[in-house]
Amino acid sequence: MPKVRRIKKGEPSYGVKKFVATGTHKGKPYTVRFGDAKAEIKRDNVKRRKAFRDRHNCSNPGPPNKARFHACRLWSKKPVSKIAK
Protein backbone atom coordinates (compact mmCIF):
# COMPACT_ATOMS: atom_id res chain seq x y z
CA MET A 1 0.00 0.00 0.00
CA PRO A 2 1.34 3.48 -0.81
CA LYS A 3 2.67 5.67 1.97
CA VAL A 4 0.77 8.88 2.71
CA ARG A 5 2.09 11.57 5.05
CA ARG A 6 1.76 15.27 5.75
CA ILE A 7 4.17 17.59 3.93
CA LYS A 8 6.80 18.95 6.31
CA LYS A 9 8.13 22.48 6.46
CA GLY A 10 10.93 23.02 3.94
CA GLU A 11 9.68 20.40 1.48
CA PRO A 12 8.41 21.24 -2.02
CA SER A 13 4.74 22.33 -1.94
CA TYR A 14 4.77 23.11 1.80
CA GLY A 15 2.00 25.65 2.42
CA VAL A 16 0.37 24.80 -0.91
CA LYS A 17 -0.49 21.11 -0.52
CA LYS A 18 -1.24 19.14 2.65
CA PHE A 19 -0.28 15.52 1.90
CA VAL A 20 2.26 13.61 -0.16
CA ALA A 21 1.86 10.00 -1.29
CA THR A 22 4.69 7.84 -2.60
CA GLY A 23 4.72 4.34 -3.95
CA THR A 24 5.01 2.32 -7.13
CA HIS A 25 2.40 1.63 -9.78
CA LYS A 26 3.08 -0.89 -12.53
CA GLY A 27 6.73 -0.97 -11.49
CA LYS A 28 7.25 2.79 -11.73
CA PRO A 29 7.77 5.00 -8.66
CA TYR A 30 5.48 8.00 -8.20
CA THR A 31 5.03 11.00 -5.91
CA VAL A 32 1.66 12.74 -5.63
CA ARG A 33 1.11 15.96 -3.67
CA PHE A 34 -2.54 16.68 -2.97
CA GLY A 35 -4.96 18.49 -0.66
CA ASP A 36 -5.30 22.22 0.01
CA ALA A 37 -3.00 23.17 2.90
CA LYS A 38 -5.28 25.96 4.08
CA ALA A 39 -8.57 24.07 3.84
CA GLU A 40 -10.03 22.39 6.88
CA ILE A 41 -11.78 19.21 5.84
CA LYS A 42 -14.89 18.24 7.71
CA ARG A 43 -14.93 14.58 6.82
CA ASP A 44 -16.59 13.58 10.10
CA ASN A 45 -19.80 15.23 8.90
CA VAL A 46 -21.72 12.38 7.20
CA LYS A 47 -23.43 14.62 4.61
CA ARG A 48 -20.15 16.31 3.61
CA ARG A 49 -18.34 12.98 3.37
CA LYS A 50 -21.05 11.51 1.17
CA ALA A 51 -21.10 14.60 -1.08
CA PHE A 52 -17.31 14.53 -1.48
CA ARG A 53 -17.22 10.80 -2.24
CA ASP A 54 -20.08 11.13 -4.76
CA ARG A 55 -18.53 14.18 -6.43
CA HIS A 56 -15.14 12.51 -6.83
CA ASN A 57 -16.52 9.09 -7.86
CA CYS A 58 -14.82 7.35 -4.94
CA SER A 59 -16.57 4.07 -5.68
CA ASN A 60 -14.07 3.82 -8.58
CA PRO A 61 -11.05 5.94 -7.51
CA GLY A 62 -8.71 4.94 -10.33
CA PRO A 63 -5.00 4.09 -10.10
CA PRO A 64 -2.92 4.89 -6.99
CA ASN A 65 -0.65 7.29 -8.90
CA LYS A 66 -3.49 9.86 -9.04
CA ALA A 67 -4.47 12.33 -6.32
CA ARG A 68 -8.14 11.28 -6.44
CA PHE A 69 -7.24 7.78 -5.24
CA HIS A 70 -5.55 9.12 -2.10
CA ALA A 71 -8.13 11.85 -1.45
CA CYS A 72 -10.87 9.24 -1.54
CA ARG A 73 -8.94 7.12 0.97
CA LEU A 74 -8.63 10.10 3.32
CA TRP A 75 -12.38 10.81 3.04
CA SER A 76 -13.29 7.26 4.12
CA LYS A 77 -14.61 6.45 7.60
CA LYS A 78 -11.15 5.28 8.68
CA PRO A 79 -9.35 7.89 10.88
CA VAL A 80 -6.80 10.06 9.04
CA SER A 81 -4.21 9.20 11.69
CA LYS A 82 -4.40 5.56 10.54
CA ILE A 83 -3.92 6.53 6.86
CA ALA A 84 -1.45 9.45 6.98
CA LYS A 85 1.51 9.22 9.30
Side-chain angles (χ1 to χ4, degrees), residues 32-47:
V32 178
R33 290 174 180 82
F34 64 100
D36 186 355
K38 293 173 178 50
E40 179 183 344
I41 63 172
K42 295 183 169 81
R43 48 168 257 145
D44 295 330
N45 183 319
V46 177
K47 287 183 181 179

Side-chain angles (χ1 to χ4, degrees), residues 24-75:
T24 57
H25 178 63
K26 294 185 179 179
K28 294 183 180 180
Y30 68 85
T31 300
V32 178
R33 290 174 180 82
F34 64 100
D36 186 355
K38 293 173 178 50
E40 179 183 344
I41 63 172
K42 295 183 169 81
R43 48 168 257 145
D44 295 330
N45 183 319
V46 177
K47 287 183 181 179
R48 285 181 186 232
R49 184 172 54 236
K50 181 179 179 347
F52 178 91
R53 293 185 61 82
D54 289 345
R55 185 170 62 247
H56 290 88
N57 190 20
C58 288
S59 59
N60 183 18
N65 61 341
K66 302 293 181 186
R68 181 170 55 128
F69 176 87
H70 298 287
C72 286
R73 282 185 59 214
L74 288 176
W75 277 80

Side-chain angles (χ1 to χ4, degrees), residues 1-2 4 43 73-74 77-85:
M1 188 49 66
V4 178
R43 48 168 257 145
R73 282 185 59 214
L74 288 176
K77 290 181 182 178
K78 194 172 185 178
V80 173
S81 60
K82 301 268 186 203
I83 300 168
K85 304 291 182 209

